[in-house]
Amino acid sequence: MSAARAPRPFVIAVDGPAASGKGTMARRLAAHYGLPYLDTGLLYRMVARAMLDAGHDIRDAEAAAQIVESFDEAAFPEERLRGREIGEAASVVAAVPAVRAGLLARQRRFASQPGGAVLDGRDIGTVICPDAPAKLFVTATPEVRAARRHKELIGRGEAVPFDGILADIRRRDARDSGRSDAPLKAADDAVTLDTSALTVEEALAAAIGIIETRRAA
Ligand code: CDP
């Protein structure tokens, strides 16, 4: 008698540009489906934080390659990772191929948990979990994303002009989309969800609708 085949883990890949709402969406989807959640942007932010803490130039690719081999996730509470400066620095270290390679295994390990997982980032559907059965590419206009990030930073006590945030978003889009290793782009089999005119609840309902269609397929 052959053993029953274990069901394939149900992985939901959520990709998209900075401040597109993908983090909120991924967290809510994880709660909805009872799956563990990994914000992969935090890993790049940890590498950037460790670089800055050690006094390295953020563009020093060799130092970043060494740090990615040795950094301790537990040493970086989330409040040290969310600031404006760290988002920018993370996108610089994220363009270093050795950094991406160094973070690949732990993301795949997380995704291969028995029941599945929700991961959000830039390359989950294209590189980390190309076989994920459900892939969303969450986006919004640069102006809407800048307004969301502006509100978030003000809530954290970082007073920054809106125009500066919009410039950050555009620069980060260009860097994340233009890098040669795992550039930000929708996987061929991802469904794009533009949240510019949607509330969080509307976007979540749309995402669940897309995922249920995939699950039924
Ligand atoms: O929250 P926000 O969208 O601003 O950024 P994040 O998701 O925390 O990611 C910070 C930076 O890490 C991004 O600008 C990307 O350059 C990089 N990143 C990446 O390259 N691949 C991922 N899977 C996640 C983040």
Side-chain angles (χ1 to χ4, degrees):
M1 208 172 73
S2 66
R5 269 230 317 257
R8 199 166 149 221
F10 191 67
V11 174
I12 303 175
V14 183
D15 289 305
S20 57
K22 64 187 184 309
T24 304
M25 162 92 69
R27 201 170 287 112
R28 293 288 301 269
L29 287 171
H32 179 83
Y33 287 106
L35 291 171
Y37 163 57
L38 180 64
D39 175 347
T40 65
L42 283 182
L43 300 174
Y44 294 90
R45 286 171 182 260
M46 285 177 198
V47 175
R49 182 75 271 167
M51 289 281 287
L52 296 176
D53 286 356
H56 294 299
D57 182 326
I58 200 66
R59 290 159 304 182
D60 183 342
E62 265 178 45
Q66 279 176 10
I67 277 184
V68 79
E69 295 303 328
S70 59
F71 77 98
D72 173 13
E73 283 186 41
F76 299 100
E78 198 170 334
E79 66 271 14
R80 295 198 64 223
L81 302 173
R82 287 289 176 204
R84 179 186 184 192
E85 180 202 20
I86 296 298
E88 176 68 19
S91 95
V92 175
V93 297
V96 177
V99 168
R100 307 202 70 83
L103 295 177
L104 186 91
R106 68 180 89 191
Q107 295 175 76
R108 290 219 172 123
R109 230 178 1 257
F110 190 91
S112 66
Q113 295 180 68
V118 181
L119 288 84
D120 86 55
R122 301 291 188 289
D123 62 343
I124 308 303
T126 51
V127 175
I128 306 295
C129 303
D131 297 332
K135 298 181 185 176
L136 294 167
F137 191 80
V138 181
T139 188
T141 64
E143 290 75 12
V144 166
R145 290 188 281 128
R148 289 176 183 162
R149 182 53 42 94
H150 190 229
K151 197 170 152 204
E152 180 193 325
L153 289 175
I154 284 180
R156 292 172 40 87
E158 269 195 74
V160 230
F162 174 83
D163 286 352
I165 301 294
L166 182 57
D168 284 1
I169 293 267
R170 291 193 195 281
R171 193 172 49 248
R172 206 117 79 78
D173 283 357
R175 192 185 292 123
D176 288 351
S177 307
R179 68 183 175 219
S180 52
D181 192 9
L184 166 70
K185 67 169 191 221
D188 291 341
D189 54 348
V191 178
T192 296
L193 187 55
D194 187 330
T195 66
S196 304
L198 301 180
T199 64
V200 169
E201 297 306 325
E202 287 168 343
L204 181 68
I208 291 171
I210 293 164
I211 292 166
E212 289 307 314
T213 308
R214 285 294 168 94
R215 250 158 52 124

